[in-house]
Amino acid sequence: MPTIKTKWFSSGMAGAPALSGTVGAMIAVLDACLKNGFNLTTLTSLVIASNVAKATKAGHGYIVNQALDVEGITGACAEINGQVRVASVTTDTFTFAAGGISDQTATGTITCKASPAGWVKPFSATNLGVYRSGNGLSSLQCIKVDDTVGQYSSVTGAEDYTDISTAVSAFGTNYFKKSSTTDATARPWVLVADDKTVYLGVAWNSGAAYDFYSFGDFNSTIPADGAIFRLQGLANAAPGAFGQYSSCNDAYTYAPNQGVVSRAYSQIFGATPIHQASMCAASSMGSATSYLTYHWALSANRGVSTTANAPAYATPALGDNGYHFLPVYLFESTASGLSIRGVARGLLHVLEYLPFASGYQVQVGVDNVPEGIVLMVRSAGQAVSGAGPAYTYPSAVLAFKLGDF
């Protein structure tokens, strides 16, 4: 079967680990999604008919569009072993495409599980882990996750690690917030990844909007760029409000809201801030314009607390009753101003304002996107204060390609 490169996971999936304000909870989520998978089940039967495979397992818990690893099939249809995407479900059955396979009942001890994203964990210790892409064509740079604190994890990027304690050319530490409380209260999360790039959203303050963190490679505009691994999390381990210092949700306009790479465009080593934005231009926001007007905006509707002159894009678009997506660009600050460094892999900006109320949804039939499928997720807002009055960036919606990044 073909390989499914991009996987998505959520706290609502059967067998998914809980993320809470407890030590080790972030490591459990990353292990499950990036390298191990979860919800391993043994099928009762697998029947192929008319190029569709129908699996039976009481209470399997899988959901539509989830990527699974199928193993253990023997005999004439052993080629089904591999990765599949769930097409339909009932309580006790699920189906997936099996093109080119003759009608038959599969044999063997057949197992399924949520398919991991293809990362490796070369070094670990109690509540510590180093993660690296398992794709030899990636940058092969790493993160180290220190999950020894309840409410957040400290995440350090490095060009390499030689053991759990020794980084080679470390270039920055960010924070991945898990919960606003130090207890076992489970917080909703969603993770989208392939074997080079990871996006993790956490609704750490309850509710159904997510702060997003990311790590992994981006598509650089620089030939032979040796620093294409970006770490983006919170600059502050204890943000004053949900959405403040938000990581992936908005543009350059607030200094802590930036990622970091190990080298500048010149390839000289040193932690280098990388900002992100889409090609949707912001309009004037009244006072404190130095914060808000001259950078491209990632959120389509720039609601503010003091003026009402932000653009609002109809949802869905009136002409075609659809949604529209833009790439997200990455910028490096230079002496000459912001310079485009590359494009975020797999991340899209949804132009329409809040196409759904909360949480996330899978959108199929999307033009000009691999496999025509994206996951749209409601992000957290961001509070900003500057030289003028306080402003509030509203909640936006981010989209992630579920085909090839």
Side-chain angles (χ1 to χ4, degrees), residues 153-382:
S153 301
S154 301
V155 183
T156 300
E159 294 191 333
D160 199 4
Y161 275 85
T162 58
D163 57 46
I164 192 64
S165 302
T166 308
V168 177
S169 302
F171 58 84
T173 297
N174 281 180
Y175 302 94
F176 290 5
K177 186 82 170 179
K178 295 183 287 184
S179 177
S180 58
T181 56
T182 308
D183 57 34
T185 301
R187 302 299 186 184
W189 58 266
V190 60
L191 187 148
V192 183
D194 68 358
D195 59 6
K196 292 183 180 180
T197 307
V198 178
Y199 297 97
L200 170 63
V202 180
W204 54 261
N205 197 32
S206 71
Y210 296 77
D211 254 349
F212 268 90
Y213 324 122
S214 68
F215 56 91
D217 291 359
F218 61 92
N219 295 326
S220 178
T221 58
I222 301 173
D225 192 342
I228 59 171
F229 185 97
R230 178 177 64 129
L231 169 64
Q232 185 155 358
L234 303 177
N236 189 326
F242 187 56
Q244 188 177 14
Y245 306 115
S246 188
S247 51
C248 283
N249 304 347
D250 274 291
Y252 171 78
T253 52
Y254 200 40
N257 178 25
Q258 59 195 23
V260 62
V261 298
S262 64
R263 298 174 185 267
Y265 71 93
S266 63
Q267 304 300 294
I268 296 174
F269 176 77
T272 301
I274 295 291
H275 314 285
Q276 67 181 21
S278 83
M279 298 294 286
C280 174
S283 66
S284 174
M285 294 295 167
S287 57
T289 56
S290 62
Y291 279 81
L292 299 168
T293 58
Y294 66 98
H295 296 294
W296 291 328
L298 182 55
S299 174
N301 185 308
R302 314 302 296 168
V304 295
S305 59
T306 56
T307 60
N309 56 357
Y313 294 81
T315 303
L318 301 181
D320 59 7
N321 197 40
Y323 304 116
H324 300 82
F325 304 90
L326 299 175
V328 175
Y329 290 83
L330 305 177
F331 296 80
E332 178 180 337
S333 294
T334 72
S336 302
L338 290 177
S339 177
I340 293 178
R341 180 71 178 262
V343 180
R345 298 182 69 251
L347 176 62
L348 298 170
H349 166 206
V350 184
L351 188 59
E352 282 72 35
Y353 178 60
L354 298 185
F356 53 91
S358 62
Y360 59 84
Q361 68 179 34
V362 175
Q363 186 77 24
V364 298
V366 179
D367 294 338
N368 301 315
V369 173
E371 297 183 35
I373 181 171
V374 299
L375 176 71
M376 296 197 296
V377 185
R378 176 83 172 260
S379 75
Q382 179 182 359

Side-chain angles (χ1 to χ4, degrees), residues 20-47:
S20 64
T22 57
V23 170
M26 180 65 75
I27 292 282
V29 169
L30 295 179
D31 281 358
C33 297
L34 300 188
K35 73 182 193 73
N36 295 336
F38 55 87
N39 193 21
L40 178 66
T41 62
T42 300
L43 301 184
T44 304
S45 67
L46 182 65
V47 178

Side-chain angles (χ1 to χ4, degrees), residues 88-136:
S88 67
V89 298
T90 68
T91 301
D92 298 328
T93 66
F94 61 93
T95 66
F96 55 87
I101 307 296
S102 60
D103 292 359
Q104 59 189 286
T105 297
T107 58
T109 302
I110 307 169
T111 62
C112 291
K113 68 176 181 179
S115 180
W119 287 63
V120 297
K121 189 180 181 184
F123 307 110
S124 62
T126 303
N127 300 316
L128 303 172
V130 170
Y131 297 89
R132 177 190 293 130
S133 167
N135 186 332

